[in-house]
């Protein structure tokens, strides 16, 4: 568009100078002037041809982009169709029973050749990605160095100050700063490495196991150390199977061994949780949650084992991969929540925050609320990740969207369930925001200023009414109601 505008501008300039040349010829101006006019016309035409050349290149690129866009659309449609086909054949056998396969028919040379080809292909894809996204690795290294420097500064400078105030520095931050820094930097990996090959995610996941295990050793009971090491081992074996083994029979046998070992591991974990629950009463409530999760995981492992043995390979792979990935992701989220909670505790103990009346009087309450928000956020992320691994997230979100956008008609009003949810959420958010602002005013602002009696209450009430009223009208607008029809209510 810009080039088209410049060509049009040059056309206007050329028109003016051609008319100038005609007038100069009639007026018998000196040859030097005519030569200058002709030179300007020649430069204008030269510039026009140059811009037309650039425009031709731009149009060629535009056509190539359009073709690539069409390929992307086709690829996304193929991926979506493949997912749907995978879900439709979950309960259709796509392989023979494991006992009907002649293992000896698959020679060792064939297995080595196919596995070697798979490794070479994966490594080639990773090398090409690294050459194309080299700055991403530098960005990741910079984030890690920045976080590590901050945590080391906390251990060196802040730890003595905390001990002087009677607050112990968190073991996660002060004893394992490098592991904590690496784990926190991995939180940004999905944004740092877009469309990364599978081998890169396998390597990053394996590397993340090390700091996660180091941090979790500080958080869990010593009796649960074998559970931590066992889950890490199963994850590593699963990554080897998923990434490096291309031969179907070998991958199937390895998955069978994984699920069998994982079932034995879950049975041991159930017994260990029962023993810890009886020995430690504070662990009682958590032990119930762990037992429920372990029982569900055991059911999935048994289902994956049976499906694999009887020939339902897609179902077995889906359940096995989803089970191990879900448990691994839960460990990482738990470590991250505890790490962020430790950083919040340290921040509240520093001088700038200690001077705030809100922190001094309600620090424990605020920390509990922040911890609860972190927990629910982690649970939501874990659920979305698990549903995605089981190929159910998109279907579930699509079903929820269809249900929520179903239009309802009441008289002359037309709205959907999503409009009602947005209305309620907006009003609820306005009330919560109003309560928070009043809390800040009462605890932090009014004690620092001298106001006449009754004025703080008046200001707080007016702010409360204003925020709730604005939130209510925003909710009404989100509901789709014409605001001109509520002028009486506004008055």
């Amino acid at each position: 568009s810009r080039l088209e505008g410049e060509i049009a501008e040059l056309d206007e300039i050329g028109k003016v100078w051609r008319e100038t040349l005609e007038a100069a010829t009639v007026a018998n101006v000196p040859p030097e002037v005519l030569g200058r006019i002709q030179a300007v016309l020649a430069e204008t035409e030269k510039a026009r041809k140059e811009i037309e050349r650039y425009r031709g290149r731009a149009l060629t690129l535009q056509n190539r982009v359009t073709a690539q866009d069409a390929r992307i659309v086709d690829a996304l449609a193929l991926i979506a169709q493949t997912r749907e086909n995978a879900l439709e054949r979950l309960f259709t056998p796509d392989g023979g029973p494991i006992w009907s396969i002649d293992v000896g028919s698959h020679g060792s040379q064939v297995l080595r050749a196919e596995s070697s080809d798979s490794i070479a292909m994966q490594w080639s894809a990773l090398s090409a990605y690294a050459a194309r996204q080299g700055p991403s690795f530098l960005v990741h290294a910079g984030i890690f160095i920045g976080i590590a420097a901050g945590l080391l500064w906390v251990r060196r400078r802040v730890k003595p100050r905390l001990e002087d105030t009677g607050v112990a520095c968190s073991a996660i931050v002060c004893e394992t700063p490098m592991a904590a820094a690496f784990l926190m930097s991995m939180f940004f990996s999905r944004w740092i490495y877009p469309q990364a090959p599978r081998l890169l995610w396998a390597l990053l996941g394996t590397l993340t196991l090390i700091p996660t295990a180091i941090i979790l050793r500080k958080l869990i009971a010593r009796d649960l150390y074998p559970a931590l090491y066992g889950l890490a081992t199963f994850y590593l074996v699963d990554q080897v199977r998923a990434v490096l083994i291309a031969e179907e029979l070998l991958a199937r046998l390895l998955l069978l061994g994984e699920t069998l070992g994982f079932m034995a591991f879950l049975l041991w974990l159930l017994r260990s949780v029962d023993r810890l629950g009886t020995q430690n009463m504070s662990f009682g409530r958590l032990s119930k949650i762990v037992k429920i999760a372990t029982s569900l995981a055991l059911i999935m492992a048994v289902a994956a084992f049976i499906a694999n043995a009887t020939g339902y390979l897609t179902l077995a792979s889906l359940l096995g991969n989803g089970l191990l990935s879900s448990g691994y992701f839960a460990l990482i989220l738990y470590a991250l929540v505890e790490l962020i909670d430790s950083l919040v505790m340290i921040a509240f103990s520093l001088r700038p925050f200690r001077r705030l009346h809100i922190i001094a009087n309600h620090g424990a309450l605020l920390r509990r609320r922040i911890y609860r928000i972190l927990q629910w956020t982690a649970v939501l992320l874990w659920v979305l990740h698990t549903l995605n691994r089981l190929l159910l997230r998109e279907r579930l979100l699509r079903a929820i969207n269809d249900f929520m956008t179903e239009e309802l008609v009441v008289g002359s009003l037309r709205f959907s369930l999503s409009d009602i949810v947005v209305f309620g959420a907006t009003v609820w958010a306005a009330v919560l925001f109003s309560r928070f602002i009043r809390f800040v005013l009462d605890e932090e602002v009014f004690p620092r200023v001298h106001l006449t009696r009754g004025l703080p209450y008046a200001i707080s009430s007016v702010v409360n009414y204003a925020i709730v009223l604005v939130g209510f009208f925003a909710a009404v607008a989100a509901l789709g109601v014409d605001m001109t029809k509520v002028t009486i209510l506004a008055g």
Side-chain angles (χ1 to χ4, degrees):
S1 298
R2 181 174 59 82
L3 294 175
E4 291 281 359
E6 291 179 355
I7 289 175
E9 185 179 355
L10 285 174
D11 288 340
E12 290 294 325
I13 293 173
K15 179 181 177 182
V16 170
W17 282 98
R18 281 191 296 271
E19 293 175 354
T20 304
L21 180 62
E22 293 174 2
T25 303
V26 174
N28 293 321
V29 298
E32 293 81 4
V33 177
L34 289 176
R36 180 60 178 160
I37 294 172
Q38 291 170 349
V40 172
L41 279 172
E43 289 293 329
T44 303
E45 186 62 25
K46 179 182 178 182
R48 192 182 192 283
K49 289 181 179 179
E50 188 73 11
I51 294 176
E52 286 180 342
R53 185 170 65 84
Y54 278 113
R55 183 182 62 175
R57 290 174 58 188
L59 291 173
T60 302
L61 288 173
Q62 190 176 19
N63 291 333
R64 289 174 60 188
V65 168
T66 302
Q68 295 295 332
D69 186 61
R71 290 181 60 192
I72 292 171
V73 171
D74 292 341
L76 290 175
L78 181 60
I79 291 171
Q81 185 61 43
T82 303
R83 283 174 172 264
E84 293 297 324
N85 292 340
L87 287 174
E88 290 175 358
R89 67 169 186 267
L90 280 180
F91 301 100
T92 302
D94 44 2
I98 194 70
W99 52 83
S100 66
I101 299 177
D102 184 10
V103 180
S105 62
H106 295 73
S108 59
Q109 293 184 350
V110 175
L111 296 180
R112 284 197 299 268
E114 292 186 352
S115 299
S116 178
D117 292 341
S118 175
I119 296 172
M121 186 183 302
Q122 296 279 349
W123 184 256
S124 176
L126 178 59
S127 301
Y129 183 84
R132 189 172 64 252
Q133 297 286 344
S136 298
F137 294 92
L138 297 178
V139 170
H140 194 177
I143 293 175
F144 167 70
I145 293 172
I147 298 175
L151 295 181
L152 290 173
W153 177 83
V154 168
R155 186 172 70 172
R156 184 180 302 112
R157 297 291 184 87
V158 178
K159 182 180 179 181
R161 302 177 191 174
L162 294 176
E163 293 174 348
D164 292 340
T165 59
V167 179
C169 183
S170 170
I172 302 176
V173 175
C174 291
E175 296 182 17
T176 59
M178 303 304 290
F182 187 83
L183 184 61
M184 293 180 69
S185 69
M186 285 301 300
F187 181 77
F188 305 96
S189 59
R190 285 290 175 182
W191 294 277
I192 298 175
Y193 305 109
Q195 304 295 327
R198 179 188 291 181
L199 182 58
L200 178 60
W201 289 126
L203 293 175
L204 291 176
T206 304
L207 289 176
T208 309
L209 272 176
I210 301 172
T212 302
I214 293 173
I215 291 175
L216 289 177
R217 278 174 57 90
K218 306 289 183 181
L219 300 174
I220 63 177
R222 193 176 188 86
D223 291 344
L224 292 179
Y225 284 0
L228 176 62
Y229 301 145
L231 189 58
T233 302
F234 283 118
Y235 179 81
L236 288 174
V237 174
D238 191 64
Q239 289 303 304
V240 172
R241 178 189 61 81
V243 175
L244 302 181
I245 298 178
E247 209 286 322
E248 181 180 335
L249 175 62
L250 185 58
R252 185 175 174 183
L253 291 173
L254 190 57
L255 179 61
L256 204 66
E258 279 183 62
T259 50
L260 184 61
F262 200 62
M263 283 188 289
F265 163 76
L266 291 174
L267 290 172
W268 171 87
L269 183 59
L270 279 175
R271 295 182 57 186
S272 300
V273 169
D274 284 334
R275 188 174 64 255
L276 284 176
T278 56
Q279 294 175 357
N280 189 353
M281 297 303 297
S282 61
F283 187 69
R285 183 178 179 183
L286 180 61
S287 66
K288 295 180 180 178
I289 300 175
V290 174
K291 285 178 63 176
I292 293 174
T294 305
S295 300
L296 292 176
L298 182 59
I299 294 174
M300 289 182 61
V302 172
F305 181 84
I306 296 174
N308 190 0
T310 55
Y312 293 85
L313 305 184
T314 303
L315 178 61
S317 178
L318 189 67
L319 292 177
N321 292 337
L323 180 64
L324 292 168
S325 174
S326 176
Y328 176 65
F329 192 61
L331 286 180
I332 294 178
L333 287 176
Y334 176 63
L336 275 174
V337 168
E338 295 297 329
L339 177 58
I340 296 174
D341 179 61
S342 300
L343 293 176
V344 170
M345 183 268 292
I346 292 174
F348 281 5
S349 303
L350 297 178
R351 183 178 302 173
F353 288 96
R354 289 206 316 267
R355 291 179 176 179
L356 298 176
H357 294 165
I358 294 178
I359 303 300
N361 300 329
H362 306 282
L365 175 63
L366 288 175
R367 188 184 169 195
R368 286 198 301 270
R369 295 290 174 83
I370 293 174
Y371 187 72
R372 187 176 301 173
I373 292 173
L374 291 173
Q375 283 182 320
W376 282 109
T377 303
V379 169
L380 178 62
L381 291 175
W382 177 79
V383 169
L384 291 176
H385 173 81
T386 303
L387 291 175
N388 183 53
R389 295 294 300 182
L390 296 176
L391 301 182
L392 296 176
R393 186 175 67 184
E394 292 183 5
R395 278 198 167 191
L396 180 62
L397 294 179
R398 194 185 314 128
I400 293 175
N401 180 68
D402 294 341
F403 176 73
M404 297 293 288
T405 55
E406 185 69 27
E407 196 171 63
L408 304 174
V409 180
V410 179
S412 60
L413 292 179
R414 308 175 71 89
F415 54 89
S416 63
L417 187 59
S418 62
D419 295 330
I420 299 175
V421 172
V422 170
F423 175 84
T426 305
V427 174
W428 178 65
V431 172
L432 288 182
F433 183 67
S434 173
R435 289 174 59 186
F436 177 73
I437 294 299
R438 294 182 68 183
F439 174 71
V440 173
L441 290 174
D442 293 339
E443 295 290 335
E444 200 63 42
V445 178
F446 294 149
R448 299 179 184 272
V449 296
H450 299 287
L451 299 175
T452 59
R453 185 179 181 182
L455 188 57
Y457 176 77
I459 295 174
S460 181
S461 299
V462 170
V463 169
N464 176 48
Y465 294 145
I467 294 175
V468 173
L469 191 63
V470 170
F472 173 75
F473 283 118
V476 172
L479 195 59
V481 177
D482 187 0
M483 294 302 294
T484 60
K485 296 180 180 181
V486 293
T487 53
I488 298 177
L489 181 61

